[in-house]
Amino acid sequence: MRKSPSQETSPARKHRAAVWGRRRVIDYPRRGRRGLRRWLPSWRLLLGGFLLSVGSLCGLFAYVYSQVGIPDENAAARQEANVYYWSDGSQMTAVGAVDRQIVPLSQIPVSIRGAVVAAENASFYSDPGVSFKGELRAVVNMAKGEDVQGGSTITQQYVKNTYLSQDQTYTRKVKEFFISLKVSRTKTKGMILQGYLNSSWFGRQAYGIQAAAYAYYGIPAKDLDPSQAAMLASTLKGADQYDPSLSAANHARTVARWSWILDREVTVGLMTPAERATYRTFPEPKKESVSTSMAGQTGYLVNVANAYITKRTGLTDRDLARGGYRIHTTFEKDKVRRLEQAVKDVTSQGLDPKNRSTDRYVEVGAATVRPEDGAVLALYGGSDATQHFTDNADTSGVAAGSVFKPFALAALIDGERRAYPVRWSVKTPPPGIPDMQSALVTSAHAPFVQLGKSIGWVQIRNAAVKAGLLKSSMAPLEQTFPIGTSTPSAIRMADAYSTFANAGAQNDPYSVTRILRNGEPVGGLEHPHSRAAFSPGVAGTVDKVLQSVAFENGTQSIVPGSASVATGADDLTKSAWFVGYTKDLSTAITLFRNKPGQAKLLPLTGVGGAGSLRGNVFPPRIWARFMGFTGTFELNRTKPAERDPATQAEPTTAKTPVD
């Protein structure tokens, strides 16, 4: 029987006191326990650890909350335009500022408010401004290197748009979280929603609901109906994926999300089922339009520059649309204007769309590249970037015809040089070159078809790609490949011919020299060094052949030192090309017919009248006028004796005045 403490002897009491005196604050590992029980924490230890952790987190939360303040909204929300400069440093255009208009909530209809809340944050009116679950998901996604979009409330997105940067970092997310809590306590939900709708990106260069309403429907935000509002709310998920005009895939995605948003409004009680039933037809937006600052050729120049920037720097279209960039381009103002005027002069003199139906829907694309380094100096993308949205200078889809043949010739010469290095020289070209030269003059196809069979289509394709054409623009490798079934852009064709003018050294085309933001340069624009596509001997031989072709066709009589190739009467009837170059400029011009809304090109038969060689005379006329020469430009298409009647057309000769 155990004695009570009062019955214990004095030594026993002293021993017990000594044991209690040595007891630790945290009894772990636990005394008096053996085996596994020694390492199992007691409930007191677990509870104490939990309370300590909660207390520490609360203390940390309170400390960070007290330290993070709301930044200056006006300074952070200021929107700048992007300024584009000509190559001489003068300003070309400023883009961005006119596409942001602040409107009060009273001018934002309930329809758009409901659509946005239903799509982005259904608990907006009741939440504390943040989503703990969403934040946890965002942190996990960032740790995985994935997209963090979708985890933020409307308040958090407003804070990000207005006070913070778009950087996806832990620091920015922490600030966003605490600023959102404070903003939610200091601003009404209406003020937050108004700020969000005025600061959000909707695509089409539009920041804010007012600019978006005009960009997509040509009306102010107050006139949007619920169906249109749901469409615009769709673009908040990412305008590059949900602008229905950009592609068929975009259209399908947008229609699906538009329908879901309307259904979602019913689910969360922001629309009645009866009202939802009235919106069954997708509200197609108008075709994309741009501000007058993008009129004429300016819009095409800006688009080419932007495409180059996004490819080289990692900046996205959305990044550029936020503004504040100073973009210096390679475009030369006088050459751009001269090229545009040349197109207008020649087409207005030679085409009569009012009285000749075959002259309707004629399009021209052109580009000029500097052979020395690949700088794009000028381009013609269409009649007006605010009316004709496809850039004819930077799009594929138009078969090259005979202007592709010099690449087949280069493949032949390069192969001969490698096979017979001793007997080959520029002065004594490989056998068969005179025949190829004659075929280029007359646009005869049979010799090049036979050439493709002899040296292989792969070799011809490789030569074209080495010269500067994109592999993605190459046609299928079949019998007609050597005669120009591939569809390069005018920019790439001008650049590829530059390789012959530049002793075989190839430079990829570029359009931007430097970008500054807040006075600091943006990286990624370092222009790569030239690469040797062909030996100087191969390039020199092709150059001499093309100069002789130019002489035969009358080009040298008006442009000394030039070389050129044009499509002729034997080429495909849906495109006309001309490429001419000097040591300083390489210019490619294409003409075709494209009716809006139709994917296939229209025939060129009859374009410009009976003597126009199916429109083929217009590109060389444009080139000659652009180069500043006057006189008579002659296209000589004489039928050679060995012409294959099965594949060649009847001979024609045309003299076309430049003026």
Side-chain angles (χ1 to χ4, degrees):
M1 181 175 179
R2 186 174 179 178
K3 297 180 180 180
S4 66
S6 60
Q7 296 174 319
E8 289 180 348
T9 64
S10 178
R13 286 199 302 271
K14 290 181 180 180
H15 176 73
R16 185 177 182 85
V19 171
W20 279 98
R22 293 195 303 270
R23 181 167 294 177
R24 294 171 295 178
V25 176
I26 300 176
D27 184 22
Y28 192 84
R30 299 173 66 185
R31 290 187 173 183
R33 301 291 190 274
R34 293 184 178 180
L36 181 61
R37 295 183 62 190
R38 174 177 173 80
W39 299 99
L40 291 176
S42 66
W43 67 269
R44 293 184 181 87
L45 187 59
L46 290 174
L47 178 60
F50 173 78
L51 294 176
L52 180 62
S53 299
V54 171
S56 299
L57 289 175
C58 290
L60 178 62
F61 185 96
Y63 174 78
V64 176
Y65 184 87
S66 66
Q67 295 299 309
V68 175
I70 300 177
D72 183 354
E73 178 179 346
N74 292 328
R78 187 178 299 117
Q79 178 70 29
E80 291 185 80
N82 288 328
V83 181
Y84 295 80
Y85 299 91
W86 295 104
S87 60
D88 63 3
S90 61
Q91 182 172 315
M92 179 169 68
T93 189
V95 180
V98 296
D99 287 324
R100 185 172 185 266
Q101 304 173 42
I102 303 297
V103 292
L105 195 63
S106 60
Q107 294 184 24
I108 301 176
V110 174
S111 60
I112 189 66
R113 299 184 222 173
V116 170
V117 169
E120 298 290 304
N121 181 192
S123 63
F124 168 71
Y125 290 105
S126 60
D127 65 35
V130 296
S131 168
F132 293 90
K133 182 179 179 181
E135 283 301 294
L136 179 60
R137 183 169 62 252
V139 169
V140 172
N141 287 344
M142 275 195 294
K144 294 179 179 179
E146 299 175 356
D147 186 9
V148 302
Q149 298 297 321
S152 299
T153 64
I154 284 177
T155 303
Q156 289 175 276
Q157 294 180 59
Y158 162 66
V159 166
K160 180 174 61 176
N161 293 342
T162 307
Y163 302 109
L164 301 173
S165 71
Q166 302 293 318
D167 299 335
Q168 295 184 6
T169 63
Y170 292 106
T171 301
R172 200 271 296 161
K173 289 297 292 181
V174 170
K175 289 182 178 179
E176 174 191 299
F177 182 88
F178 286 97
I179 293 173
S180 297
L181 286 174
K182 288 194 171 183
V183 166
S184 186
R185 293 186 59 186
T186 57
K187 291 181 180 288
T188 66
K189 292 292 185 179
M191 294 170 64
I192 293 171
L193 186 58
Q194 173 183 295
Y196 173 67
L197 290 174
N198 277 310
S199 62
S200 292
W201 163 250
F202 288 85
R204 296 195 177 188
Q205 305 298 320
Y207 265 106
I209 187 61
Q210 181 82 334
Y214 278 115
Y216 285 90
Y217 292 108
I219 58 176
K222 64 183 180 62
D223 294 336
L224 293 169
D225 65 35
S227 184
Q228 294 168 329
M231 202 297 293
L232 289 179
S234 300
T235 65
L236 291 171
K237 191 172 178 65
D240 55 340
Q241 298 291 315
Y242 290 89
D243 182 340
S245 67
L246 295 181
S247 67
N250 270 29
H251 192 277
R253 274 192 297 269
T254 309
V255 171
R257 185 157 178 83
W258 161 81
S259 181
W260 176 84
I261 289 175
L262 290 172
D263 292 339
R264 178 70 172 163
E265 289 185 73
V266 175
T267 300
V268 299
L270 296 174
M271 179 183 289
T272 66
E275 185 180 8
R276 168 66 179 94
T278 63
Y279 303 115
R280 295 297 180 188
T281 302
F282 181 70
E284 295 286 354
K286 66 175 186 174
K287 291 183 178 180
E288 183 174 1
S289 62
V290 291
S291 65
T292 54
S293 65
M294 301 280 275
Q297 298 306 302
T298 303
Y300 305 123
L301 298 172
V302 168
N303 289 340
V304 167
N306 287 350
Y308 183 78
I309 291 168
T310 56
K311 179 181 179 181
R312 293 297 302 275
T313 66
L315 293 174
T316 65
D317 289 336
R318 186 169 182 171
D319 294 328
L320 290 173
R322 294 190 187 103
Y325 293 94
R326 303 292 180 261
I327 300 167
H328 295 260
T329 74
T330 60
F331 306 127
E332 296 186 4
K333 180 169 31 179
D334 62 328
K335 290 183 175 60
V336 170
R337 293 176 178 173
R338 202 167 71 221
L339 182 57
E340 181 180 25
Q341 193 61 47
V343 173
K344 289 181 177 179
D345 289 347
V346 171
T347 55
S348 64
Q349 291 174 8
L351 299 177
D352 186 11
K354 291 184 178 179
N355 300 311
R356 192 161 49 222
S357 61
T358 52
D359 287 356
R360 297 168 189 165
Y361 310 118
V362 172
E363 296 289 343
V364 175
T368 295
V369 171
R370 185 166 58 210
E372 179 184 356
D373 61 355
V376 181
L377 303 182
L379 58 83
Y380 179 86
S383 57
D384 191 317
T386 63
Q387 300 172 14
H388 176 75
F389 306 118
T390 301
D391 185 353
N392 296 339
D394 195 29
T395 187
S396 60
V398 183
S402 288
V403 296
F404 185 83
K405 293 175 181 176
F407 306 117
L409 181 61
L412 169 64
I413 297 172
D414 194 33
E416 290 284 344
R417 181 184 67 86
R418 296 174 187 277
Y420 308 103
V422 176
R423 78 178 192 186
W424 187 91
S425 70
V426 176
K427 294 182 179 179
T428 308
I433 294 301
D435 295 336
M436 295 296 103
Q437 176 180 320
S438 176
L440 279 174
V441 172
T442 60
S443 287
H445 290 342
F448 283 92
V449 171
Q450 185 59 45
L451 174 61
K453 294 178 180 178
S454 300
I455 67 174
W457 302 319
V458 172
Q459 299 304 317
I460 297 174
R461 182 189 65 188
N462 291 346
V465 172
K466 285 196 300 182
L469 299 187
L470 296 177
K471 191 173 183 179
S472 60
S473 69
M474 295 293 101
L477 298 180
E478 53 192 19
Q479 180 171 311
T480 56
F481 180 76
I483 63 175
T485 51
S486 297
T487 57
S489 69
I491 292 176
R492 280 287 172 174
M493 186 61 82
D495 181 73
Y497 270 66
S498 291
T499 304
F500 301 133
N502 199 34
Q506 192 272 331
N507 296 281
D508 284 337
Y510 73 102
S511 55
V512 177
T513 56
R514 64 189 179 115
I515 305 174
L516 300 175
R517 195 168 198 276
N518 297 325
E520 296 295 325
V522 174
L525 293 173
E526 299 78 12
H527 190 63
H529 297 295
S530 300
R531 62 183 180 86
F534 307 110
S535 70
V538 171
T541 302
V542 175
D543 178 62
K544 287 183 178 296
V545 171
L546 295 181
Q547 287 189 40
S548 66
V549 171
F551 181 82
E552 292 287 341
N553 282 334
T555 309
Q556 287 241 347
S557 64
I558 56 174
V559 187
S562 65
S564 67
V565 174
T567 53
D570 294 339
D571 279 301
L572 301 176
T573 61
K574 294 185 179 181
S575 62
W577 281 83
F578 182 90
V579 184
Y581 66 83
T582 66
K583 64 182 181 63
D584 299 315
L585 298 175
S586 176
T587 303
I589 301 166
T590 181
L591 179 144
F592 54 94
R593 294 178 68 213
N594 183 25
K595 186 176 182 180
Q598 292 187 4
K600 294 184 178 180
L601 301 183
L602 299 174
L604 291 181
T605 305
V607 170
S612 75
L613 290 177
R614 301 169 184 163
N616 291 336
V617 297
F618 293 113
R621 283 187 189 179
I622 293 169
W623 180 74
R625 190 177 291 269
F626 166 67
M627 296 295 291
F629 297 95
T630 60
T632 299
F633 190 96
E634 182 177 297
L635 285 177
N636 180 22
R637 304 299 185 197
T638 304
K639 181 177 180 180
E642 71 277 9
R643 175 172 286 185
D644 183 354
T647 60
Q648 305 302 306
E650 291 300 317
T652 58
T653 301
K655 288 186 177 181
T656 60
V658 174
D659 286 322

